[in-house]
Amino acid sequence: MANTKQETTKKTVKKYYNYIGGEWVKSSSGEWFDNVNPADTSDIVGRFPASNEDDVNAAVAAAKSAATRWRRTPAPKRAEILFTLGEILRKNKDAFTQQMTREMGKVLKEAGGDVQEAIDCTYYTAGEGRRLHGFTTPAEMPNKFAMCVRQPVGLCGLITPFNFPMAIPSWKLIPALVCGNTVVIKSGEDVPLSTINLVKSCEEAGIPKGVVNVVNGFGEAGAALVDHKDVRLISFTGSTSTGRRIAEACARDNKIVSLEMGGKNAIIVMDDADIDNAVEGSLWGAFGTSGQRCTASSRLVVHKKIYKKFCEKLVERVKKLRVGNGLDPRTEVGPVINERAMEKIHGYIEIGKIHDNATLACGGNRLTKGDYKKGYFIEPTVFTDVKPGMRIGQEEIFGPVTSVIPFSTLDEAIEIVNGVAYGLSSAIYTQDVNQAFYAMQELYTGICYVNSATIGAEVHLPFGGTKGTGNGHREAGTQVLDIFTEWKALYVDYSGKLQKAQIDEVEI
Ligand code: UN1
């Protein structure tokens, strides 16, 4: 009986495919993997091809053969298709949101925000189709013209993470396309459906065959993409360890590589701050997306004068957070993505308690009773009396865990915030404009907020971080164009004779 039931379940699970050269195809490996709902592991969202090197080779070949036509399509025309894509995403927002929550776990409101971010990114970046500004500049010889234009880099490999299943792929895909590149996406293995939804929408919008390709699967597919000689650029968001390996591999072939990796972001709460507002911001920054954001507020650096009061208010609020299935509109904190993540996060809680000897103010447990046992749930956890050098104060946890660190002076707080290997996002709560500006100047992060949490970046501003967070690139904004284009300097001599720059005297 049990077997028959399993068989039936297997048969009813929907299969999804790779998208290569405009065709939906299975992997040549013949293997499949399940996309599992992290809030209820008996719920299989879909079955996806486990792709290998042959699939990547086919996808790269398709992207290569589409490259010339797409590059020569005028950028305003490319953008027109992308505006249509924006419309399609907007029409499907509710369905894509539901499916994202089911495959990834984040609560419906946040999944809606994720889809909205992809829509915003699409409309905003498509606008570049009528800009993609270059510049002119005087030439040093008479009757000579000098200018600079952006040219597409070529074939781009995009490797995307689980935590923003549609927003982050869109940050990479849309600028790559408007700039005239063709792409192969290796979707995040925990959230392949949201990438498929994005790419199906590209197909519906009329993006020509071969311009966008998707291979689903794991590290084997990612590595084949990184190592492929015809790939000119890799754009990666994910863990620091994988990012470093990718950078090393790309260096061997002189590939352009843009990396967006870890964070250990902090909120400073000054003694003059509106404490209730700072507590709300900290809750949102630390426990939104169950703390699985590179921008999560995983440290709260709080002035000693208000430390006790702040901790009391924070812990009282954290204890009341409703943990559950993100599909239930009452849920405030969803599950974490998978068993490995749950074990890693729980491991950090143990490190905080035993190795670091910090005070566990609330949470700290896996939730295993009732419906919780179906998924990967961890209690929202707060450590207090954390010292800046402790492991939980230094290492990225990527889960619903935050550490409160006391300080006495603003300079000391800034030193604490800057004293980690990463530099993505920071924040300060204060009513004092001088303190706010001084912090904005001294905090060495790619993003800095005043009177809000470390999360909530908007698509028209650059996104990225200093130090171990990245390798100097910025996604979003117009700055992303510097990733997906290379400059071409153009000189036009209309003097009708040989003129030697740097050598010939110019007569005046
Ligand atoms: C991430 O933290 O992994 O800034 C991406 C935010 C979102 C994007 C976050 N717009 O919170």
Side-chain angles (χ1 to χ4, degrees):
M1 260 320 259
N3 265 350
T4 326
K5 198 173 165 203
Q6 252 179 10
E7 287 295 304
T8 327
T9 323
K10 261 193 182 163
K11 271 188 207 133
T12 49
V13 173
K14 188 167 173 193
K15 275 189 173 160
Y16 294 87
Y17 297 89
N18 289 338
Y19 184 60
I20 299 179
E23 308 295 327
W24 293 96
V25 292
K26 57 186 184 191
S27 165
S28 58
S29 72
E31 314 250 318
W32 300 84
F33 67 94
D34 286 347
N35 178 4
V36 177
N37 179 345
D40 176 359
T41 55
S42 67
D43 176 27
I44 310 296
V45 179
R47 194 151 286 152
F48 290 76
S51 307
N52 60 17
E53 192 178 342
D54 292 341
D55 304 314
V56 170
N57 289 343
V60 170
K64 196 176 173 185
S65 66
T68 305
R69 182 176 161 210
W70 186 243
R71 172 172 62 77
R72 288 184 184 161
T73 302
K77 183 69 196 170
R78 295 197 293 258
E80 201 181 297
I81 306 176
L82 295 175
F83 281 120
T84 307
L85 169 64
E87 286 299 292
I88 294 166
L89 296 177
R90 212 170 51 78
K91 278 195 206 116
N92 290 290
K93 182 175 170 183
D94 288 346
F96 291 170
T97 298
Q98 287 275 342
Q99 289 178 344
M100 186 185 294
T101 292
R102 203 175 144 211
E103 74 171 344
M104 189 275 175
K106 68 168 103 179
V107 300
L108 281 172
K109 271 212 169 98
E110 290 183 33
D114 192 315
V115 178
Q116 186 58 44
E117 193 159 343
I119 296 167
D120 296 343
C121 172
T122 304
Y123 284 135
Y124 172 74
T125 316
E128 281 306 315
R130 286 189 185 271
R131 287 186 293 268
L132 282 177
H133 292 146
F135 60 92
T136 64
T137 185
E140 61 184 57
M141 311 307 284
N143 295 326
K144 190 176 170 190
F145 195 88
M147 60 190 159
C148 270
V149 295
R150 292 182 180 276
Q151 58 184 341
V153 296
L155 211 159
C156 301
L158 314 179
I159 302 177
T160 54
F162 78 85
N163 65 336
F164 276 79
M166 195 174 278
I168 292 183
S170 81
W171 292 359
K172 301 178 190 300
L173 176 67
I174 309 303
L177 294 179
V178 81
C179 291
N181 305 288
T182 57
V183 305
V184 175
I185 308 174
K186 204 297 270 174
S187 60
E189 58 264 26
D190 291 299
V191 291
L193 182 52
S194 294
T195 302
I196 295 295
N197 285 337
L198 179 62
V199 168
K200 271 214 165 101
S201 306
C202 289
E203 183 185 35
E204 196 183 324
I207 293 177
K209 289 179 194 306
V211 172
V212 179
N213 305 276
V214 179
V215 287
N216 298 280
F218 299 83
E220 186 186 345
L225 189 57
V226 168
D227 289 335
H228 200 297
K229 295 280 179 272
D230 290 336
V231 173
R232 174 75 182 114
L233 174 148
I234 294 288
S235 171
F236 167 80
T237 300
S239 75
T240 303
S241 55
T242 307
R244 287 212 177 110
R245 282 206 307 280
I246 289 177
E248 281 165 15
C250 288
R252 287 196 287 272
D253 296 331
N254 289 322
K255 285 193 176 82
I256 303 166
V257 58
S258 144
L259 303 172
E260 184 58 53
M261 304 178 288
K264 190 69 190 173
N265 318 288
I267 298 177
I268 298 174
V269 186
M270 296 303 294
D271 51 349
D272 69 333
D274 173 338
I275 297 190
D276 291 328
N277 193 23
V279 166
E280 286 311 305
S282 302
L283 273 184
W284 174 227
F287 302 110
T289 325
S290 306
Q292 301 170 110
R293 296 191 185 216
C294 355
T295 49
S297 309
S298 64
R299 296 180 296 157
L300 309 173
V301 182
V302 181
H303 197 287
K304 276 186 178 150
K305 276 197 197 148
I306 52 151
Y307 180 78
K308 201 164 162 266
K309 196 162 162 203
F310 177 88
C311 290
E312 275 166 17
K313 285 188 178 229
L314 178 75
V315 168
E316 193 190 315
R317 286 287 282 114
V318 173
K319 281 183 178 161
K320 288 196 193 124
L321 285 173
R322 279 188 300 268
V323 180
N325 189 327
L327 291 170
D328 178 344
R330 289 166 308 178
T331 298
E332 292 170 290
V333 180
V336 298
I337 191 67
N338 56 34
E339 189 157 3
R340 212 175 52 250
M342 189 172 63
E343 271 159 18
K344 183 186 156 199
I345 297 160
H346 199 248
Y348 268 110
I349 293 171
E350 292 301 302
I351 288 169
K353 287 195 303 201
I354 295 156
H355 175 276
D356 290 338
N357 209 10
T359 308
L360 179 66
C362 66
N365 298 305
R366 288 180 46 182
L367 294 161
T368 51
K369 300 219 171 80
D371 277 352
Y372 287 131
K373 70 170 174 288
K374 296 188 196 159
Y376 308 120
F377 293 97
I378 296 189
E379 274 181 325
T381 299
V382 177
F383 281 104
T384 52
D385 306 326
V386 174
K387 299 210 170 58
M390 287 178 176
R391 284 189 64 188
I392 56 167
Q394 288 286 322
E395 297 173 25
E396 187 176 46
I397 300 175
F398 225 66
V401 180
T402 195
S403 295
V404 194
I405 307 174
F407 75 88
S408 306
T409 66
L410 178 54
D411 275 321
E412 187 191 338
I414 289 166
E415 206 178 306
I416 292 169
V417 176
N418 287 342
V420 291
Y422 304 103
L424 182 53
S425 183
S426 57
I428 181 166
Y429 278 83
T430 179
Q431 307 289 341
D432 180 334
V433 69
N434 294 351
Q435 293 190 134
F437 269 85
Y438 183 69
M440 283 192 272
Q441 172 187 291
E442 294 299 318
L443 290 168
Y444 185 43
T445 53
I447 307 168
C448 179
Y449 295 89
V450 175
N451 292 328
S452 70
T454 55
I455 66 177
E458 302 178 20
V459 298
H460 51 302
L461 281 76
F463 184 96
T466 63
K467 301 189 284 187
T469 294
N471 60 342
H473 295 281
R474 292 291 183 270
E475 299 193 284
T478 50
Q479 288 70 20
V480 71
L481 304 176
D482 290 332
I483 298 178
F484 290 104
T485 59
E486 289 178 284
W487 285 107
K488 184 186 273 176
L490 298 163
Y491 301 92
V492 184
D493 190 320
Y494 53 98
S495 69
K497 61 179 187 218
L498 174 64
Q499 300 196 92
K500 301 192 213 86
Q502 295 96 37
I503 293 172
D504 287 353
E505 276 298 326
V506 175
E507 296 199 1
I508 50 171

